């Protein structure tokens, strides 16, 4: 990774995976890391506790390649989902270009989904951003749970107006993981140079 | 308004690299990096004698995270920020200083570099780099990114993630 020619023009984007505790944000990144070929990814960094709960963030750099002379790279981050880690969660949102909100399908986590979305809105507001200002994709994860709530019910709680694209996922099996990342990347790229 | 990070290039980039090179010479440090607060590497330089550095993306991300956390800590204690951060291990040390509001200077050094020099020349370099970063922000380069760029990027996304 140290041979990057910075004399070349380079564009970097920051994508953050947000959501309540244990909703599967780190699992998304781990799956992506496992599937992206060498040479297109950097090292994955996890700052986690002993029981593998994210403490500060996970980080994964991805190289898209060169487009019209612009080297294009994505940096993927997760936030710690647990309620009491808001100070570090807020730091990671700095300079974000796109967000994947990973919601949990479990019935007893419905409220946590709503809390986390509210928290995200508040944290973004501190950077002077509204939800409309950013590309946001909703991923309804853990569809394999036997008592998983209907997607529409989860969505109604975090995105009542139905503004964000929705993807169903089982991140442990990789289902919906790439689709989600691709959509948010597409939305982020669509904003480049469009003046939007 | 969301903006992609377009890093330094052209004349400003050359100047930044020169400043980093000079700092390496004056301090005897191994690696010098200019990193933005988001954790992206803007420019970097390695001393020829130094061993291969660790992955720079990782270094930059962790340093930016650390600086952000330290700044939040300073605020909690009633300071706007702590200006410089010095981490000293048994052999390797890391010096971090603000290069203005948007970037950080990182110097990685070992026991062959006198700490006093690292701090003295590090501080000077940080000030010079801050001016370059300000200039880059004040005069953002014309990108001319258009539909063609977006189409090209889309094709690469398809290639990487499948249709």
């Amino acid at each position: 990774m140290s041979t990057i020619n910075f004399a070349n023009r380079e564009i970097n984007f920051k994508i953050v995976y947000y959501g309540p505790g244990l909703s599967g944000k780190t699992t998304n990144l781990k799956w992506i890391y496992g599937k992206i070929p060498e040479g297109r990814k950097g090292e994955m960094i996890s700052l986690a506790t002993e029981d593998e709960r994210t403490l500060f963030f996970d980080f994964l750099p991805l190289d898209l390649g060169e487009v019209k002379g612009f080297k294009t790279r994505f940096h993927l981050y997760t936030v710690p989902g647990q309620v009491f880690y808001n100070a570090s969660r807020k730091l990671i949102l700095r300079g974000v270009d796109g967000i994947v909100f990973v919601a949990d399908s479990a019935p007893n986590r419905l409220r946590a989904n709503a809390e986390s979305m509210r928290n995200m809105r508040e944290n973004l507001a501190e950077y002077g951003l509204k939800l409309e200002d950013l590309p946001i994709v909703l991923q309804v994860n853990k569809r394999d749970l036997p008592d998983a709530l209907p997607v529409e019910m989860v969505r109604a709680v975090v995105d009542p107006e139905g503004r964000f694209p929705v993807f169903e996922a089982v991140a442990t099996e990789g289902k919906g993981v790439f689709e989600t990342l691709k959509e948010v990347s597409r939305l982020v790229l669509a904003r480049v140079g469009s003046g939007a | 308004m969301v903006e992609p990070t377009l890093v330094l290039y052209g004349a400003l980039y050359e100047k930044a690299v020169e400043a980093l090179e000079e700092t390496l010479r004056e301090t005897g440090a191994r690696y010098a990096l200019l990193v933005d607060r988001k954790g992206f590497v803007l420019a970097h330089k390695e001393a020829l004698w130094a061993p291969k550095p660790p992955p720079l993306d990782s270094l930059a991300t962790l340093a930016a995270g650390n600086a952000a956390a330290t700044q939040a800590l300073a605020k909690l204690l009633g300071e706007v920020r702590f200006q410089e951060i010095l981490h000293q291990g048994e052999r390797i040390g890391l010096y971090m200083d603000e290069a203005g509001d948007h970037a950080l200077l990182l110097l990685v050094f070992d026991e062959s570099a006198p700490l006093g020099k690292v701090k003295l020349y590090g501080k000077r370099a940080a000030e010079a780099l801050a001016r370059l970063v300000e200039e880059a922000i004040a005069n953002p380069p014309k990108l001319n990114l258009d539909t063609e760029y977006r189409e090209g990027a889309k094709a690469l996304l398809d290639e990487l993630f499948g249709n």
Side-chain angles (χ1 to χ4, degrees), chain A residues 19-22 25 49 53-54 79-86 89:
Chain A
L22 290 173
K25 302 173 290 296
T49 59
R53 304 291 304 272
T54 305
V79 298
Q82 297 175 76
V83 176
F84 45 88
Y85 287 147
N86 194 46
R89 197 155 43 234

Side-chain angles (χ1 to χ4, degrees), chain A residues 9 70, chain B residues 6-10 12 135-145:
Chain A
R9 298 192 287 182
F70 288 95
Chain B
L6 179 85
V7 301
L8 297 174
Y9 73 99
L12 285 176
E135 208 176 313
I137 289 171
N139 307 299
K142 277 262 176 290
L143 279 182
N144 296 324
L145 292 176

Side-chain angles (χ1 to χ4, degrees), chain A residues 131-148:
Chain A
L131 295 183
E132 306 82 276
D133 298 333
L134 284 167
I136 298 175
V137 173
L138 176 61
Q139 181 187 78
V140 185
N141 192 21
K142 305 195 192 176
R143 297 313 297 157
D144 57 336
L145 290 179
D147 58 349

Side-chain angles (χ1 to χ4, degrees), chain A residues 1-2 4 6-14 36-37 40 43 45 47 56-57 59 61-68 70 72-75 77 91 94-97 129 133-135 178 181-182 185-186 189-194 196, chain B residues 1-10 13-14 37-44 46 52-53 55-58 61-62 65-66 68-69 71-72 101-102 142-146 148-150 152-154 156-163:
Chain A
M1 296 302 292
S2 58
I4 305 159
F6 282 98
N8 280 340
R9 298 192 287 182
E10 176 168 334
I11 301 183
N12 295 309
F13 298 100
K14 178 170 177 177
I36 295 283
R40 305 295 289 271
E43 284 193 10
I45 290 181
L47 301 182
F56 197 173
F57 59 77
F59 166 72
L62 287 186
D63 267 323
L64 193 58
E66 197 165 303
V67 192
K68 280 198 75 193
F70 288 95
T72 304
R73 319 181 72 208
F74 288 95
H75 281 188
Y77 286 81
L91 299 178
R94 179 174 183 147
V96 63
D97 296 303
L129 291 169
D133 298 333
L134 284 167
F178 272 171
L181 176 57
K182 195 176 163 187
S185 311
R186 223 177 45 74
L189 286 167
R191 298 210 162 190
V192 177
S194 66
Chain B
M1 166 83 204
V2 183
E3 278 293 336
T5 319
L6 179 85
V7 301
L8 297 174
Y9 73 99
Y13 168 81
E14 299 298 338
R37 297 258 185 193
K38 293 160 73 172
F40 293 116
V41 179
L42 300 178
H44 70 96
E46 295 140 33
K52 196 175 170 306
L56 297 180
D57 278 332
S58 306
T61 296
L62 290 171
N66 184 29
Q71 191 173 348
D101 291 336
H102 304 281
K142 277 262 176 290
L143 279 182
N144 296 324
L145 292 176
D146 47 16
E148 212 183 314
Y149 172 82
R150 293 200 288 274
K154 241 175 89 182
L156 285 180
L157 278 179
D158 286 341
E159 184 211 315
L160 191 57
F161 301 140
N163 277 302

Side-chain angles (χ1 to χ4, degrees), chain A residues 28-175:
Chain A
N28 263 274
L29 253 62
K30 281 186 173 162
W31 180 271
I32 294 162
Y33 182 74
K35 291 290 167 192
I36 295 283
E38 289 297 334
R40 305 295 289 271
K41 65 182 175 192
E43 284 193 10
M44 181 163 166
I45 290 181
S46 284
L47 301 182
T49 59
E50 269 176 21
D51 49 352
E52 299 211 326
R53 304 291 304 272
T54 305
L55 182 62
F56 197 173
F57 59 77
D58 305 302
F59 166 72
L60 174 59
L62 287 186
D63 267 323
L64 193 58
E66 197 165 303
V67 192
K68 280 198 75 193
F70 288 95
K71 227 173 159 172
T72 304
R73 319 181 72 208
F74 288 95
H75 281 188
L76 311 184
Y77 286 81
T78 68
V79 298
Q82 297 175 76
V83 176
F84 45 88
Y85 287 147
N86 194 46
S88 35
R89 197 155 43 234
K90 205 184 312 179
L91 299 178
I92 294 150
L93 280 179
R94 179 174 183 147
V96 63
D97 296 303
I99 293 177
V100 173
F101 187 92
V102 182
D104 196 320
S105 294
N108 63 352
R109 297 300 285 164
L110 190 60
R111 214 194 171 93
N113 290 333
E115 279 288 311
S116 177
M117 180 55 86
R118 190 174 55 80
N119 171 259
M120 184 170 95
R121 206 165 46 227
E122 288 170 3
N123 282 339
L124 285 173
E126 294 209 17
Y127 292 105
L129 291 169
K130 294 193 289 289
L131 295 183
E132 306 82 276
D133 298 333
L134 284 167
I136 298 175
V137 173
L138 176 61
Q139 181 187 78
V140 185
N141 192 21
K142 305 195 192 176
R143 297 313 297 157
D144 57 336
L145 290 179
D147 58 349
L149 294 172
V151 173
E152 280 315 311
M153 189 186 283
V154 177
R155 178 183 210 182
V157 165
V158 291
D159 178 24
E161 289 149 44
R163 288 182 291 180
F164 315 136
V166 184
F167 290 86
E168 296 188 33
V170 184
T172 48
E173 298 166 17
K175 279 185 199 150

